[in-house]
Amino acid sequence: MILITGASSGLGAALAARYAKENTPLTLTGRDSKRLQTVANALSPFSSQGITAITADLAREQSIAALFDGLTQAPKTVIHCAGSGYFGAIETQRASDIQSLLENNVTSTILLVRELVQRYKERAVTVVIVMSTAALAAKAGESTYCAAKWAVRGFVESVRLELKNSPMKLIAVYPGGMDTGFWPSSGKALDTSSFMSADEAADMLKQALIATEHGYIADITIQRG
């Protein structure tokens, strides 16, 4: 079973569509129950294995616990796409929006991975953390967003060291320039006509996640052309 977070839109929804068409058992989660159920209903005809939708706020400990308590089987792969953006010159950024940004990107990732390690550390579970190229390079006007993504990158690399002798694997993904619903809500006006679509990014990521018996790709950067 594959668990996809942030599956109600963007890359998460695009990945869900691809795996559903391969008849892979899926559990989809997101904060917006209505949009999440719409995605699950649209994909159900393609999957005889069944698609489960569970609403969860990953920045809340009890919500994450309830999510995993509600699973009927342990996931083989978890693809964490959930997150949000907030941009602008630092002097214009509101404290409440900064806090929300950190919760949606940093706190959610830390609590999700903590839960996974607590439950499945001794299982061969692949955990895919989707970040951004903002975790690799500083960008003017994206200070707190970069700070959040750099924090997640440091967290992932540190937990990898803790899992050195565990069958659980963490894969870091750094996509750049996707044309999704992320941008209109970010506060940053951009011409995204030359950006990758979520479908294009999903195709590339899904291919890169194919592992062999003795190897896998640990870090994936998806650059727009």
Side-chain angles (χ1 to χ4, degrees):
M1 185 266 287
I2 296 179
L3 170 65
I4 302 176
T5 77
S8 61
S9 63
L11 180 61
L15 285 167
R18 277 143 186 78
Y19 285 113
K21 290 173 182 177
E22 290 184 352
N23 210 25
T24 302
L26 290 173
T27 297
L28 310 181
T29 186
R31 288 178 297 169
D32 189 317
S33 59
K34 185 176 180 179
R35 288 196 305 174
L36 185 67
Q37 195 60 56
T38 297
V39 171
N41 290 344
L43 298 180
S44 290
F46 298 101
S47 176
S48 63
Q49 295 290 328
I51 296 175
T52 302
I54 303 176
T55 305
D57 182 349
L58 302 182
R60 302 290 177 262
E61 182 178 15
Q62 291 182 336
S63 187
I64 290 182
L67 167 64
F68 284 95
D69 287 344
L71 299 182
T72 57
Q73 60 181 300
K76 181 178 179 181
T77 302
V78 177
I79 307 178
H80 179 45
C81 298
S84 63
Y86 179 56
F87 304 123
I90 186 60
E91 68 270 21
T92 68
Q93 295 187 26
R94 297 180 297 274
S96 59
D97 290 323
I98 293 171
Q99 184 62 43
S100 179
L101 174 77
L102 294 175
E103 287 190 355
N104 292 340
N105 293 280
V106 184
T107 303
S108 64
T109 303
I110 292 173
L111 292 182
L112 175 68
V113 172
R114 187 191 68 158
E115 193 76 21
L116 286 166
V117 172
Q118 288 176 339
R119 291 176 184 251
Y120 309 121
K121 184 177 181 179
E122 303 307 322
R123 295 175 181 252
V125 178
T126 298
V127 182
V128 183
I129 307 296
V130 179
M131 289 174 265
S132 164
T133 50
L136 304 174
K139 300 182 180 183
E142 300 185 17
S143 56
T144 50
Y145 183 68
C146 285
K149 295 303 182 182
W150 285 34
V152 173
R153 179 185 172 193
F155 170 73
V156 168
E157 293 185 1
S158 296
V159 175
R160 274 180 176 167
L161 298 178
E162 296 180 17
L163 296 175
K164 186 174 182 180
N165 298 314
S166 166
M168 178 177 284
K169 298 290 183 281
L170 265 60
I171 298 177
V173 181
Y174 305 99
M178 274 193 297
D179 183 16
T180 69
F182 170 94
W183 294 107
S185 62
S186 72
K188 186 171 185 176
L190 281 178
D191 177 6
T192 58
S193 59
S194 64
F195 285 15
M196 294 177 287
S197 67
D199 287 335
E200 289 174 308
D203 285 337
M204 288 185 280
L205 177 54
K206 184 173 177 295
Q207 181 64 32
L209 291 178
I210 296 174
T212 65
E213 182 181 357
H214 299 108
Y216 68 102
I217 298 174
D219 295 278
I220 302 167
T221 301
I222 306 175
Q223 297 282 14
R224 64 185 175 94

